[in-house]
Amino acid sequence: MSELQPVNGIELRKLLSDKKLILGTERTFKLLRAGRLSKLILSSNCPSNIVRDAKKYSILSGTELVHTNQTNEQFGLLFKKPFFIILLCRKAIGP
């Protein structure tokens, strides 16, 4: 379930413009615990405690977990944010 994959920046920007991509640890874990995510993407330098929690909750909720080779700084630059992004997620289709 957890594997290292290159993530296409164009694909991520498209998801963000469609309002399906969520940035931020707190919102992500809240939706992950509720089982309302389809994919969870972690940066390559994500802190170990967040990786551990993400693995645990993704197994419980059946959410796909993807480790990328991009750093949190690269994610921040990709989305033109003034902060680093250590994880992001995609909402599941449905209510």
Side-chain angles (χ1 to χ4, degrees):
M1 198 161 198
S2 174
E3 54 190 65
L4 183 65
Q5 295 179 353
V7 176
N8 186 350
I10 296 169
E11 177 187 340
L12 292 176
R13 282 190 186 173
K14 183 180 176 187
L15 290 172
L16 186 63
S17 67
D18 291 342
K19 307 292 186 220
K20 294 179 184 175
L21 199 64
I22 297 173
L23 309 175
T25 308
E26 289 182 25
R27 283 184 64 197
T28 298
F29 280 136
K30 181 178 179 181
L31 292 170
L32 185 60
R33 280 186 236 119
R36 296 180 56 202
L37 300 179
S38 62
K39 184 181 262 189
L40 181 62
I41 303 169
L42 301 172
S43 67
S44 62
N45 57 345
C46 187
S48 61
N49 62 332
I50 292 177
V51 172
R52 182 189 66 235
D53 290 345
K55 283 181 182 180
K56 179 175 97 176
Y57 291 127
S58 67
I59 290 170
L60 292 174
S61 66
T63 302
E64 180 184 1
L65 180 63
V66 178
H67 288 276
T68 66
N69 55 0
Q70 297 174 329
T71 65
N72 56 6
E73 185 176 3
Q74 290 171 333
F75 277 155
L77 292 173
L78 179 68
F79 295 112
K80 299 178 182 172
K81 300 292 182 185
F83 49 85
F84 297 156
I85 302 169
I86 58 173
L87 63 91
L88 40 103
C89 61
R90 184 176 191 275
K91 277 187 186 177
I93 298 172

